[in-house]
Amino acid sequence: MDALQPYLPLIFNVLRGLAVIGLVHAIMTRQQVFWMFLLAFGALFGSLFGMIGAALYTILVFVPWLRGRGRVAGQAVARGVEAIKPLDLRIREAQERLSESDTLANRTDLAALQARAGRPDEAQATLQPLLNGIYADDPVVLLTSAELELARGNAAAAEELLGRVDLKTSAATRTRSLTLLAQAQEAQRKTAEADATYRDAMTAATTEEPRARYAAFLLGQGRRDEARQLLDQLARTEQRATNLYRRQEREWFQMAAGLRRELK
């Protein structure tokens, strides 16, 4: 204990600082009242009871919360880095992953990339083993199949596949499914249905794709003022966005920029 004596003031100040930080965090994240009381006691009075509470809160609540935030940030960075890679490189990497492990995710990822690169025959060959098996009604398989049918000009077949997708699976699935459905309806000249579907896709969308494609749809319908308003919103979003988000959504921001040039 004597050896710690010179360091006690520093330890005391650190713990009191942790109590203040912990109290702010507990209020912002709506932790249990017990923690707020304990941390407030430590922050205001600096008692031994409060110091122990600050240490426990840091170990049991604050540090795990930071780790979780770190994982989310890391995943976002990984998605952004992946999005800016050249398409051919992404296809080669997906082929390597599939050769190492033939899973649903690896096979559909590769098929989607091949379809996006304008290689529908390769995409069809990659996806075929999943179409008649236990994964035939999986949302990922249905979305990839629909995208492939659209690339081949089979809009009606794409619409039928998209009608089987469970939109409650996730926000990303809902956004992608409705965006593809609107494209299929537009290709079949179902103008009113496509308009409504694009609007649904923009609600709680996880990407800028629905807005960019709807702006193109409006422009194609001669609704220039509506298209301009939507494109101005996209421009403001791009200006306010982080560098990571701009890279992640680069394709759609570039599409919007091209549409704005058409309006001039």
Side-chain angles (χ1 to χ4, degrees):
M1 190 68 180
D2 291 340
L4 289 175
Q5 192 67 35
Y7 303 103
L8 287 178
L10 176 61
I11 294 172
F12 175 84
N13 288 331
V14 168
L15 288 174
R16 194 162 189 177
L18 288 174
V20 173
I21 294 171
L23 179 59
V24 173
H25 177 265
I27 293 171
M28 291 179 63
T29 57
R30 299 181 181 180
Q31 299 294 329
Q32 296 178 359
V33 176
F34 164 77
W35 283 120
M36 296 184 192
F37 172 77
L38 198 61
L39 292 165
F41 208 82
L44 293 174
F45 304 109
S47 66
L48 179 62
F49 177 68
M51 297 298 97
I52 293 173
L56 288 173
Y57 185 85
T58 300
I59 295 169
L60 298 177
V61 180
F62 189 61
V63 171
W65 178 82
L66 280 179
R67 287 175 178 169
R69 296 282 290 185
R71 282 194 298 271
V72 171
Q75 290 168 356
V77 170
R79 287 195 298 270
V81 170
E82 186 68 19
I84 63 176
K85 287 181 181 177
L87 193 52
D88 286 343
L89 175 59
R90 293 171 66 186
I91 288 174
R92 287 197 299 272
E93 291 178 346
Q95 288 170 330
E96 291 173 3
R97 288 194 295 270
L98 180 60
S99 64
E100 293 172 1
S101 178
D102 191 349
T103 64
L104 168 67
N106 287 343
R107 189 166 285 278
T108 53
D109 284 349
L110 175 57
L113 289 170
Q114 289 169 329
R116 191 172 175 184
R119 293 150 62 174
D121 291 338
E122 293 179 37
Q124 180 65 40
T126 300
L127 196 63
Q128 191 60 44
L130 301 175
L131 297 178
N132 300 315
I134 60 173
Y135 297 115
D137 288 324
D138 185 278
V140 176
V141 174
L142 291 171
L143 287 172
T144 308
S145 301
E147 187 170 7
L148 181 55
E149 293 294 354
L150 273 175
R152 292 171 143 185
N154 300 329
E159 185 174 10
E160 189 278 326
L161 287 165
L162 293 165
R164 292 158 53 191
V165 177
D166 182 1
L167 299 182
K168 297 179 182 178
T169 302
S170 69
T173 295
R174 180 183 183 278
T175 299
R176 189 70 187 126
S177 180
L178 290 175
T179 303
L180 287 170
L181 178 59
Q183 290 176 255
Q185 291 168 336
E186 182 181 359
Q188 297 175 83
R189 301 185 184 280
K190 298 180 179 180
T191 305
E193 292 92 331
D195 188 286
T197 305
Y198 273 126
R199 290 178 180 275
D200 286 344
M202 289 189 298
T203 303
T206 57
T207 174
E208 300 301 328
E209 182 181 6
R211 283 204 290 176
R213 290 199 181 278
Y214 186 47
F217 170 81
L218 291 173
L219 194 56
Q221 295 297 313
R223 296 157 64 180
R224 297 174 66 85
D225 290 342
E226 293 175 73
R228 182 177 288 106
Q229 183 178 3
L230 190 56
L231 291 169
D232 287 345
Q233 291 175 7
L234 272 164
R236 288 193 292 270
T237 298
E238 184 177 8
Q239 289 173 355
R240 294 193 298 264
T242 62
N243 289 333
L244 175 60
Y245 189 73
R246 278 197 292 268
R247 289 195 298 270
Q248 182 178 317
E249 300 297 307
R250 179 176 58 180
E251 179 179 357
W252 312 118
F253 287 136
Q254 287 178 344
M255 180 179 178
L259 294 171
R260 280 194 294 274
R261 287 192 293 271
E262 288 185 36
L263 281 170
K264 291 181 179 178

